Amino acid sequence: MTDQRWAQLADHIATRLEVTADSRVSIFVNDAAALPGAHALIQAVTQRGAAVQTVYTSEFAEADALAAYDLDQLAAPAPVERAAMEWSTVHVSLRAMLWPEADTSSIVDLPQRLAALRTAKGVVSTLRWQGTRWAVVRIPTPDWAARINVPAETLLNEFFAGALDDWDANRKLWQPVADALTDGAEVTITSADTDLTLGIAGRRGVLFAGDANLPDGEVATAPVDNQVDGHITFAGTAIFAGQVFEDLRLEFAAGQVVDVRATRGADVARALIDTDEGSHRVGELGIGVSSAVRQWTGDLFIDEKILGTVHLALGRAYPECGGVNQSSLHWDIVKDLRSTAPGGGGTLAIDGTPIVDRGHVVWPGLS
C-alpha cells in the first residue's frame, strides 16, 4: 500500500508552485526510489488540468559518460533536459539519494571531466531557476540508510517531517534570523578547525520555508564577493557530483578560494572550484534552522537544513539575496557545528550575536 504521505507531499508541491490548467509541468526522476513521489505528483497536477511530462535522468550513467566522452561532449547540456526546461512553466526534480557505486579513480583527467559535466548541468539548472517555478525534492533510500548505519524508516520519517512541516509557524520563528542577516554587517564561523569571516552588509537574508527545496528549513544570504577571509573545515564525509569528499578544508582571501586540502577528493574539489571565474567565490551563506531534520546523512541537500549547521555554496549566488556572483557551479558544503560533530562544536554569530554557541543553539525560538 502506498504511503499516503506521498499524496500529501504532491498536493503541497502543486499548491506552492501554483499549478493550474495553464501550467506545463516537467518532472525529472533519477531512480526508481523516487517513483512513488513521481506517481503522486503526476496525479496531483493532472487533476488540476496541467500538462505534464516526465524525464528519467540517470545518475548512474554519469560514470560511463565521464569515462567515454571528451570534454566538449561532457560540457554540452543534455538536449532533452534543456528542451524540457524551455518548455516548462513549472519544474520538479525528484532526486533519490544514491551513494556513488562506480569506481571512477582510474578515469584519466577525472577532475577536469567532472568539472565539464557540472558545467553542462549548470546550464540546465540555470534554465530551471530563471524560467520556471520550481522545486527540488531529495528522497532518502534504504541503500543510503544502510551506508550510514541508520534505519531506513528513520530517514524516511525525517524526510516527510522536514517536507510537510508547519511552514507558516516556522516563518514566524525563522524571520528574525533572516532580518538579522539583512541588517547585519558580518558573520563569523569558528571552531577548533575553522576561523572564517564573511561580510554581508547590503545583502538580504531570505527564508526558505517549504517553497522550493524539500525537506526545507534554511535562512540564506549572499556574502559580499570580496569579503570572505579565513579558513573552514568540513569534517567528515560528504557526497557531491557522485564523488566522495573527506575533511575538506578551504582557505579564503579577499573572497576567493586560495587553498584546498582534503584527506580525500582534494583534486576533484580543485577542479570544481576552477569551473569558471565565479566558482572561486562564495555565492551563498546558509544557516540550517529545521528541528524536524536531525540525522546527519552526508548528503548536502539534507544536512544543510539541520538546525545547528551552516553551509557555504561555491559559485552562483541567489539574486533574491542581493548576490551578483555568477557561475555554472552551485556547490553547497555543510559544516556541522553541533557538539556531536566530528570536528567538535562550533560557534556561528551575526555581528557577535550567536545563533550557535560552542555547539549549542542559543537563538531565541530555535530548538
Side-chain angles (χ1 to χ4, degrees):
M1 185 174 180
T2 303
D3 192 324
Q4 291 304 305
R5 291 177 295 185
W6 290 115
Q8 297 173 35
L9 179 61
D11 183 67
H12 168 76
I13 293 171
T15 299
R16 288 290 177 132
L17 297 184
E18 301 176 353
V19 175
T20 68
D22 295 327
S23 300
R24 298 188 300 273
V25 183
S26 62
I27 301 172
F28 286 6
V29 179
N30 71 333
D31 187 74
L35 289 180
H39 293 161
L41 186 58
I42 290 169
Q43 184 176 45
V45 301
T46 300
Q47 288 175 347
R48 295 173 184 233
V52 58
Q53 294 291 312
T54 305
V55 178
Y56 171 51
T57 57
S58 173
E59 291 183 19
F60 289 130
E62 291 178 8
D64 294 323
L66 287 169
Y69 294 163
D70 60 32
L71 292 178
D72 288 339
Q73 289 174 298
L74 291 170
V80 173
E81 295 181 25
R82 183 170 191 165
M85 289 297 182
E86 292 171 340
W87 171 80
S88 304
T89 58
V90 174
H91 173 77
V92 181
S93 282
L94 299 170
R95 300 176 183 172
M97 294 164 62
L98 303 177
W99 198 275
E101 290 187 352
D103 182 4
T104 57
S105 59
S106 63
I107 296 177
V108 177
D109 297 328
L110 173 64
Q112 291 75 21
R113 290 173 175 272
L114 186 62
L117 183 60
R118 298 310 302 181
T119 297
K121 288 180 173 295
V123 172
V124 176
S125 65
T126 298
L127 289 171
R128 165 175 56 81
W129 68 265
Q130 286 186 341
T132 74
R133 302 187 300 279
W134 60 272
V136 176
V137 185
R138 193 62 161 160
I139 300 171
T141 59
D143 176 66
W144 194 289
R147 297 273 187 172
I148 62 174
N149 297 314
V150 172
E153 186 177 5
T154 297
L155 289 191
L156 189 62
N157 287 340
E158 285 203 1
F159 161 74
F160 280 119
L164 298 172
D165 211 344
D166 186 340
W167 298 116
D168 291 336
N170 286 335
R171 284 181 177 276
K172 295 178 181 178
L173 291 175
W174 301 342
Q175 187 61 49
V177 182
D179 293 341
L181 289 174
T182 299
D183 297 336
E186 184 178 88
V187 171
T188 53
I189 308 169
T190 56
S191 68
D193 56 16
T194 294
D195 187 355
L196 190 69
T197 300
L198 306 98
I200 58 169
R203 299 300 169 90
R204 292 186 296 276
V206 175
L207 273 180
F208 293 87
D211 294 319
N213 291 312
L214 298 168
D216 211 353
E218 68 172 282
V219 180
T221 192
V224 179
D225 292 32
N226 62 351
Q227 294 181 19
V228 181
D229 294 279
H231 64 275
I232 183 169
T233 300
F234 303 93
T237 300
I239 310 296
F240 177 72
Q243 304 296 309
V244 180
F245 301 89
E246 294 181 357
D247 301 325
L248 179 64
R249 181 187 187 276
L250 302 177
E251 184 173 345
F252 293 86
Q256 296 206 52
V257 178
V258 294
D259 188 54
V260 179
R261 303 178 193 179
T263 56
R264 181 177 180 182
D267 287 344
V268 173
R270 293 186 188 104
L272 289 170
I273 292 167
D274 283 339
T275 298
D276 51 42
E277 184 177 351
S279 57
H280 292 78
R281 299 186 182 275
V282 178
E284 176 196 353
L285 165 71
I287 300 169
V289 290
S290 174
S291 58
V293 182
R294 299 177 182 272
Q295 176 61 54
W296 185 267
T297 67
D299 181 87
L300 307 171
F301 196 96
I302 298 289
D303 296 341
E304 69 178 5
K305 312 306 191 316
I306 297 172
L307 178 62
T309 68
V310 65
H311 60 276
L312 307 181
L314 296 174
R316 185 178 64 252
Y318 291 123
E320 57 264 43
C321 295
V324 296
N325 194 52
Q326 297 184 3
S327 174
S328 61
L329 183 73
H330 185 89
W331 178 13
D332 288 302
I333 320 173
V334 189
K335 181 173 182 62
D336 194 350
L337 297 171
R338 297 174 295 177
S339 58
T340 55
T347 297
L348 167 68
I350 303 173
D351 291 338
T353 300
I355 296 173
V356 183
D357 187 11
R358 290 167 290 183
H360 301 283
V361 177
V362 297
W363 191 272
L366 300 183
S367 62

